[in-house]
Amino acid sequence: MITLTLLHPLQSTPIKSWSFENESVIRVGRATDNNVVLYSAVVSRRHLELRRQGRNWDLISLGTNGTYLEGKFIEKIAVTDGLIVRLAQSGPKIQINIGGIPPRTRFDEEILGEWMRKDGTTASQTDRFGETTSEEDTAASTKPIPPPIRVAPSPETPE
């Protein structure tokens, strides 16, 4: 598996990821028929390609504004796990991961933030006081609540 992750331009935190299992060529650019589409004025329609060579990947820069690694222009480079390239000198940064689990993106954090706690427990495993609940407690809390019981006044009580 290979994963491409768009990084925040200032903080370098993951914003969006694309994972590919069986592709031998992955195209990145502004054109909508690319595998990864990036809408940026400095990104070319066909900016770069990643080509599988056996178990390895090569990155080939095709864009007019170039592709940069640590501020240096590159035309072709062997991809290593965690490689970060910039499309054009001022364009988006892409991190490339080979195999393993892709980094969590800001989108993942927004969606999972409400559901997953920092300690790894889910919201359904933690009650409102922060106490971890057992499966039995969780199962009991999902049972329907019976309707209230109406108590008729006793005959001795004046109305």
Side-chain angles (χ1 to χ4, degrees), residues 126-143:
T126 308
D127 67 14
R128 64 188 178 122
F129 301 108
E131 298 291 323
T132 302
T133 57
S134 68
E135 286 184 29
E136 184 177 293
D137 292 338
T138 303
S141 68
T142 59
K143 290 181 182 174

Side-chain angles (χ1 to χ4, degrees), residues 45-109:
R45 287 186 301 269
R46 300 257 186 265
H47 201 98
L48 66 84
E49 283 185 355
L50 292 161
R51 294 184 189 157
R52 186 191 308 254
Q53 303 294 331
R55 301 180 113 204
N56 301 315
W57 288 87
D58 288 332
L59 182 149
I60 297 96
S61 178
L62 306 170
T64 305
N65 293 326
T67 303
Y68 293 82
L69 173 65
E70 298 176 359
K72 296 179 183 151
F73 175 79
I74 57 170
E75 289 184 28
K76 182 177 178 179
I77 190 169
V79 174
T80 56
D81 187 43
L83 178 75
I84 298 175
V85 294
R86 185 180 288 272
L87 284 61
Q89 286 184 321
S90 62
K93 290 190 290 185
I94 300 284
Q95 181 175 17
I96 304 169
N97 293 93
I98 302 170
I101 299 171
R104 291 178 87 175
T105 66
R106 189 176 76 196
F107 176 76
D108 295 332
E109 295 299 328

Side-chain angles (χ1 to χ4, degrees), residues 20-36:
F20 304 94
E21 285 284 337
N22 301 317
E23 285 79 353
S24 57
V25 176
I26 299 167
R27 292 180 179 87
V28 178
R30 216 176 53 242
T32 57
D33 61 341
N34 287 306
N35 301 93
V36 175

